[in-house]
Short mmCIF file of all heavy atoms in Angstrom, two decimals:
data_model
loop_
_atom_site.label_atom_id
_atom_site.label_comp_id
_atom_site.label_asym_id
_atom_site.label_seq_id
_atom_site.Cartn_x
_atom_site.Cartn_y
_atom_site.Cartn_z
N TRP A 217 101.69 119.86 110.21
CA TRP A 217 100.44 120.56 110.49
C TRP A 217 99.30 119.56 110.62
O TRP A 217 99.36 118.47 110.05
CB TRP A 217 100.12 121.56 109.38
CG TRP A 217 101.08 122.70 109.29
CD1 TRP A 217 101.07 123.86 110.00
CD2 TRP A 217 102.23 122.78 108.41
NE1 TRP A 217 102.13 124.66 109.63
CE2 TRP A 217 102.86 124.02 108.67
CE3 TRP A 217 102.78 121.93 107.46
CZ2 TRP A 217 104.00 124.43 107.99
CZ3 TRP A 217 103.92 122.33 106.78
CH2 TRP A 217 104.53 123.56 107.05
N LYS A 218 98.28 119.96 111.32
CA LYS A 218 97.10 119.10 111.49
C LYS A 218 96.45 118.83 110.14
O LYS A 218 96.06 117.70 109.83
CB LYS A 218 96.10 119.77 112.44
CG LYS A 218 94.85 118.95 112.70
CD LYS A 218 93.93 119.66 113.69
CE LYS A 218 92.65 118.86 113.93
NZ LYS A 218 91.74 119.57 114.87
N ALA A 219 96.31 119.87 109.32
CA ALA A 219 95.70 119.72 107.99
C ALA A 219 96.63 120.33 106.96
O ALA A 219 97.16 121.42 107.15
CB ALA A 219 94.34 120.41 107.95
N VAL A 220 96.82 119.62 105.85
CA VAL A 220 97.70 120.09 104.77
C VAL A 220 96.93 120.03 103.45
O VAL A 220 96.29 119.02 103.13
CB VAL A 220 98.97 119.22 104.67
CG1 VAL A 220 99.76 119.55 103.41
CG2 VAL A 220 99.84 119.40 105.91
N HIS A 221 96.99 121.13 102.70
CA HIS A 221 96.39 121.22 101.38
C HIS A 221 97.53 121.41 100.37
O HIS A 221 98.30 122.37 100.50
CB HIS A 221 95.42 122.39 101.28
CG HIS A 221 94.51 122.52 102.47
ND1 HIS A 221 93.42 121.71 102.66
CD2 HIS A 221 94.55 123.35 103.54
CE1 HIS A 221 92.81 122.05 103.79
NE2 HIS A 221 93.48 123.03 104.34
N VAL A 222 97.65 120.54 99.40
CA VAL A 222 98.72 120.64 98.40
C VAL A 222 98.10 121.08 97.07
O VAL A 222 97.24 120.40 96.52
CB VAL A 222 99.46 119.30 98.22
CG1 VAL A 222 100.66 119.48 97.29
CG2 VAL A 222 99.91 118.75 99.57
N LEU A 223 98.54 122.23 96.57
CA LEU A 223 97.98 122.79 95.34
C LEU A 223 98.57 122.14 94.09
O LEU A 223 99.71 121.66 94.10
CB LEU A 223 98.26 124.30 95.27
CG LEU A 223 97.75 125.18 96.41
CD1 LEU A 223 98.05 126.66 96.10
CD2 LEU A 223 96.26 124.98 96.65
N ASN A 224 97.78 122.15 93.02
CA ASN A 224 98.26 121.81 91.67
C ASN A 224 98.98 120.46 91.59
O ASN A 224 100.12 120.37 91.11
CB ASN A 224 99.19 122.91 91.15
CG ASN A 224 98.46 124.21 90.89
OD1 ASN A 224 97.23 124.25 90.85
ND2 ASN A 224 99.21 125.28 90.74
N CYS A 225 98.32 119.40 92.06
CA CYS A 225 98.91 118.05 91.97
C CYS A 225 98.64 117.48 90.58
O CYS A 225 97.92 116.48 90.42
CB CYS A 225 98.34 117.16 93.06
SG CYS A 225 98.81 117.68 94.71
N VAL A 226 99.20 118.16 89.59
CA VAL A 226 98.99 117.79 88.19
C VAL A 226 100.34 117.75 87.49
O VAL A 226 101.30 118.39 87.91
CB VAL A 226 98.06 118.80 87.47
CG1 VAL A 226 96.66 118.75 88.05
CG2 VAL A 226 98.64 120.22 87.55
N ASP A 227 100.41 116.99 86.41
CA ASP A 227 101.63 116.97 85.60
C ASP A 227 101.86 118.37 85.03
O ASP A 227 100.93 119.01 84.52
CB ASP A 227 101.48 115.96 84.46
CG ASP A 227 102.21 114.67 84.77
OD1 ASP A 227 102.23 114.27 85.96
OD2 ASP A 227 102.75 114.07 83.85
N GLY A 228 103.09 118.82 85.13
CA GLY A 228 103.42 120.18 84.74
C GLY A 228 103.71 121.04 85.95
O GLY A 228 104.42 122.04 85.87
N CYS A 229 103.11 120.65 87.10
CA CYS A 229 103.39 121.32 88.38
C CYS A 229 104.12 120.38 89.33
O CYS A 229 105.15 120.73 89.90
CB CYS A 229 102.10 121.84 89.01
SG CYS A 229 101.33 123.17 88.07
N ILE A 230 103.57 119.20 89.54
CA ILE A 230 104.24 118.13 90.30
C ILE A 230 104.09 116.85 89.48
O ILE A 230 103.04 116.22 89.55
CB ILE A 230 103.62 117.93 91.70
CG1 ILE A 230 103.61 119.24 92.49
CG2 ILE A 230 104.41 116.87 92.48
CD1 ILE A 230 102.95 119.12 93.86
N PRO A 231 105.06 116.45 88.67
CA PRO A 231 106.37 117.07 88.54
C PRO A 231 106.31 118.37 87.75
O PRO A 231 105.47 118.55 86.87
CB PRO A 231 107.17 116.02 87.77
CG PRO A 231 106.14 115.34 86.92
CD PRO A 231 104.91 115.28 87.79
N SER A 232 107.25 119.26 88.06
CA SER A 232 107.39 120.50 87.30
C SER A 232 107.78 120.16 85.87
O SER A 232 108.56 119.24 85.62
CB SER A 232 108.46 121.38 87.94
OG SER A 232 108.83 122.42 87.06
N ASP A 233 107.22 120.91 84.92
CA ASP A 233 107.58 120.65 83.52
C ASP A 233 109.04 121.01 83.23
O ASP A 233 109.57 120.68 82.18
CB ASP A 233 106.65 121.39 82.56
CG ASP A 233 106.58 122.89 82.84
OD1 ASP A 233 107.34 123.37 83.70
OD2 ASP A 233 105.75 123.58 82.21
N MET A 234 109.69 121.69 84.21
CA MET A 234 111.11 122.02 84.06
C MET A 234 112.01 120.93 84.62
O MET A 234 113.23 121.05 84.59
CB MET A 234 111.41 123.34 84.78
CG MET A 234 110.61 124.52 84.29
SD MET A 234 111.07 125.00 82.60
CE MET A 234 112.70 125.67 82.90
N ALA A 235 111.42 119.87 85.20
CA ALA A 235 112.22 118.87 85.89
C ALA A 235 111.88 117.45 85.44
O ALA A 235 111.80 116.54 86.25
CB ALA A 235 112.03 119.00 87.40
N THR A 236 111.64 117.30 84.15
CA THR A 236 111.32 115.97 83.63
C THR A 236 112.32 115.52 82.57
O THR A 236 112.07 114.58 81.83
CB THR A 236 109.89 115.94 83.03
OG1 THR A 236 109.80 116.96 82.02
CG2 THR A 236 108.85 116.19 84.10
N GLY A 237 113.46 116.21 82.51
CA GLY A 237 114.44 115.91 81.47
C GLY A 237 115.25 114.66 81.74
O GLY A 237 115.70 114.00 80.80
N THR A 238 115.45 114.32 83.01
CA THR A 238 116.25 113.14 83.35
C THR A 238 115.53 112.31 84.39
O THR A 238 114.64 112.80 85.10
CB THR A 238 117.63 113.54 83.92
OG1 THR A 238 117.44 114.20 85.19
CG2 THR A 238 118.37 114.48 82.98
N THR A 239 115.94 111.06 84.51
CA THR A 239 115.37 110.17 85.53
C THR A 239 115.63 110.72 86.92
O THR A 239 114.75 110.66 87.79
CB THR A 239 115.97 108.76 85.39
OG1 THR A 239 115.69 108.27 84.09
CG2 THR A 239 115.38 107.82 86.42
N GLU A 240 116.83 111.27 87.14
CA GLU A 240 117.17 111.80 88.47
C GLU A 240 116.25 112.95 88.86
O GLU A 240 115.79 113.03 90.00
CB GLU A 240 118.64 112.27 88.48
CG GLU A 240 119.67 111.16 88.40
CD GLU A 240 119.82 110.59 87.00
OE1 GLU A 240 119.33 111.23 86.03
OE2 GLU A 240 120.40 109.49 86.86
N GLU A 241 115.98 113.85 87.91
CA GLU A 241 115.09 114.98 88.18
C GLU A 241 113.68 114.48 88.50
O GLU A 241 113.02 114.98 89.43
CB GLU A 241 115.05 115.92 86.98
CG GLU A 241 116.31 116.72 86.77
CD GLU A 241 116.25 117.57 85.51
OE1 GLU A 241 115.60 117.15 84.52
OE2 GLU A 241 116.84 118.65 85.52
N LEU A 242 113.21 113.51 87.72
CA LEU A 242 111.86 112.99 87.92
C LEU A 242 111.74 112.30 89.28
O LEU A 242 110.72 112.45 89.98
CB LEU A 242 111.52 112.01 86.79
CG LEU A 242 110.04 111.79 86.48
CD1 LEU A 242 109.35 113.11 86.19
CD2 LEU A 242 109.91 110.85 85.29
N GLU A 243 112.77 111.58 89.68
CA GLU A 243 112.75 110.90 90.98
C GLU A 243 112.71 111.91 92.12
O GLU A 243 112.05 111.69 93.14
CB GLU A 243 113.96 109.98 91.12
CG GLU A 243 113.86 108.71 90.29
CD GLU A 243 112.65 107.87 90.66
OE1 GLU A 243 112.51 107.50 91.85
OE2 GLU A 243 111.82 107.59 89.78
N GLU A 244 113.41 113.03 91.95
CA GLU A 244 113.37 114.05 93.01
C GLU A 244 111.98 114.68 93.10
O GLU A 244 111.51 115.01 94.19
CB GLU A 244 114.42 115.13 92.77
CG GLU A 244 114.40 116.21 93.84
CD GLU A 244 115.71 116.96 93.99
OE1 GLU A 244 116.79 116.35 93.83
OE2 GLU A 244 115.65 118.15 94.29
N GLU A 245 111.31 114.85 91.98
CA GLU A 245 109.95 115.39 92.00
C GLU A 245 109.00 114.44 92.74
O GLU A 245 108.10 114.88 93.46
CB GLU A 245 109.46 115.63 90.57
CG GLU A 245 110.19 116.72 89.83
CD GLU A 245 109.91 118.11 90.39
OE1 GLU A 245 108.74 118.50 90.47
OE2 GLU A 245 110.87 118.80 90.77
N ARG A 246 109.21 113.14 92.58
CA ARG A 246 108.40 112.16 93.31
C ARG A 246 108.64 112.33 94.82
O ARG A 246 107.70 112.33 95.61
CB ARG A 246 108.78 110.74 92.89
CG ARG A 246 107.86 109.65 93.49
CD ARG A 246 108.45 108.26 93.36
NE ARG A 246 108.92 107.96 92.01
CZ ARG A 246 108.15 107.55 91.02
NH1 ARG A 246 106.85 107.39 91.21
NH2 ARG A 246 108.66 107.31 89.82
N ARG A 247 109.91 112.50 95.20
CA ARG A 247 110.23 112.68 96.62
C ARG A 247 109.63 113.98 97.15
O ARG A 247 109.23 114.06 98.31
CB ARG A 247 111.75 112.67 96.81
CG ARG A 247 112.40 111.34 96.46
CD ARG A 247 113.83 111.25 96.94
NE ARG A 247 114.74 112.17 96.29
CZ ARG A 247 115.46 111.89 95.22
NH1 ARG A 247 115.37 110.68 94.64
NH2 ARG A 247 116.30 112.78 94.69
N LEU A 248 109.54 114.97 96.29
CA LEU A 248 108.96 116.26 96.70
C LEU A 248 107.48 116.09 97.07
O LEU A 248 107.02 116.64 98.08
CB LEU A 248 109.13 117.27 95.56
CG LEU A 248 109.06 118.75 95.91
CD1 LEU A 248 110.14 119.14 96.89
CD2 LEU A 248 109.18 119.59 94.64
N LEU A 249 106.74 115.35 96.25
CA LEU A 249 105.34 115.08 96.58
C LEU A 249 105.24 114.29 97.89
O LEU A 249 104.38 114.58 98.73
CB LEU A 249 104.66 114.32 95.44
CG LEU A 249 103.20 113.91 95.69
CD1 LEU A 249 102.32 115.13 95.94
CD2 LEU A 249 102.65 113.10 94.51
N TYR A 250 106.12 113.33 98.06
CA TYR A 250 106.14 112.52 99.30
C TYR A 250 106.38 113.41 100.52
O TYR A 250 105.70 113.27 101.55
CB TYR A 250 107.22 111.45 99.17
CG TYR A 250 107.46 110.63 100.41
CD1 TYR A 250 106.59 109.60 100.77
CD2 TYR A 250 108.55 110.88 101.24
CE1 TYR A 250 106.81 108.83 101.90
CE2 TYR A 250 108.78 110.12 102.38
CZ TYR A 250 107.91 109.10 102.71
OH TYR A 250 108.14 108.34 103.83
N VAL A 251 107.31 114.34 100.42
CA VAL A 251 107.58 115.25 101.53
C VAL A 251 106.34 116.07 101.85
O VAL A 251 105.97 116.24 103.01
CB VAL A 251 108.77 116.18 101.19
CG1 VAL A 251 108.86 117.35 102.18
CG2 VAL A 251 110.08 115.40 101.22
N ALA A 252 105.65 116.57 100.82
CA ALA A 252 104.44 117.36 101.05
C ALA A 252 103.38 116.53 101.77
O ALA A 252 102.76 116.99 102.74
CB ALA A 252 103.89 117.87 99.72
N MET A 253 103.19 115.30 101.33
CA MET A 253 102.14 114.45 101.91
C MET A 253 102.44 114.10 103.36
O MET A 253 101.53 114.03 104.20
CB MET A 253 101.99 113.18 101.07
CG MET A 253 101.45 113.43 99.67
SD MET A 253 101.49 111.96 98.61
CE MET A 253 100.23 110.94 99.41
#
């Protein structure tokens, strides 16, 4: 899209507080933010 707004770029949302238990989960959350950007 020409313009993208990403909501809730805070710890607890990105990364989700449900996905910080392992390094693998945390790395995927990083990739998720990258995809959004």
Side-chain angles (χ1 to χ4, degrees):
W217 293 275
K218 181 178 178 181
V220 170
H221 316 283
V222 187
L223 302 184
N224 293 346
C225 294
V226 294
D227 259 35
C229 293
I230 305 177
S232 166
D233 54 6
M234 301 292 290
T236 56
T238 66
T239 301
E240 290 77 15
E241 289 176 327
L242 204 55
E243 286 301 303
E244 180 156 325
E245 293 291 304
R246 187 195 311 278
R247 296 193 294 267
L248 201 61
L249 177 59
Y250 174 78
V251 166
M253 293 172 69

